[in-house]
Amino acid sequence: MASVNKVILVGNCGRDPEIRYLPSGQAVANVSVATSTRRKDKNTGESIEDTQWHRVTFYDRLAEIAGEYVKKGQPIYVEGRLKYGKYTDQAGVERNTVDIVATEMQLLGKREGMGGPGGDEGASGGYSRPAPASRPSTPAAPPVRQAPVASKPASGFDDMDDDIPF
């Protein structure tokens, strides 16, 4: 029987990534990600926010990308797997750890200050594609498109827009 160990997080980075390189040359980046939930207290009716902190580890090229583009406070999408570990602290007490080993990452939110087009940063919807450079950034109504000229026989592809939605 197959088994699944998968984690999906959408949260905010708690600190800038710490990058180091193993003796083998493999890049490793660590970051903390905060996820929050809100609920109402039954007795007082107040909104209570519960924040959980997650330790996320990136390896290889993903670690280098995280080190270059991920910043403190930035919203981020992470997919990965859970990894449990144990260590003994300086006082001799055995401690347990839970890490998320990331296999996928997308930056969410605005692209300001990200160092130019390309890369793996995402648009506000979580898509990892660069924003079109030829469009004006006016909040007005979308441009009106003219109907295709009817002199050509319609093949079904003549009226398609060049902007592909995926």
Side-chain angles (χ1 to χ4, degrees), residues 35-54:
T35 57
S36 298
T37 56
R38 289 182 179 249
R39 62 179 176 86
K40 281 197 173 192
D41 187 295
K42 291 180 181 178
N43 299 327
T44 64
E46 288 184 41
S47 180
I48 298 173
E49 185 171 336
D50 180 33
T51 302
Q52 298 291 314
W53 288 93
H54 312 276

Side-chain angles (χ1 to χ4, degrees), residues 59 93 138:
Y59 289 98
V93 178
T138 58

Side-chain angles (χ1 to χ4, degrees), residues 73-96:
Q74 183 176 27
I76 188 172
Y77 168 90
V78 176
E79 272 186 43
R81 62 182 172 82
L82 289 174
K83 180 180 176 186
Y84 296 93
K86 287 184 182 184
Y87 71 96
T88 305
D89 67 10
Q90 293 177 344
V93 178
E94 191 171 278
R95 305 261 183 194
N96 294 317

Side-chain angles (χ1 to χ4, degrees), residues 56-69:
V56 180
T57 305
F58 300 98
Y59 289 98
D60 299 321
R61 182 68 182 130
L62 200 55
E64 293 171 353
I65 292 169
E68 188 172 342
Y69 294 108

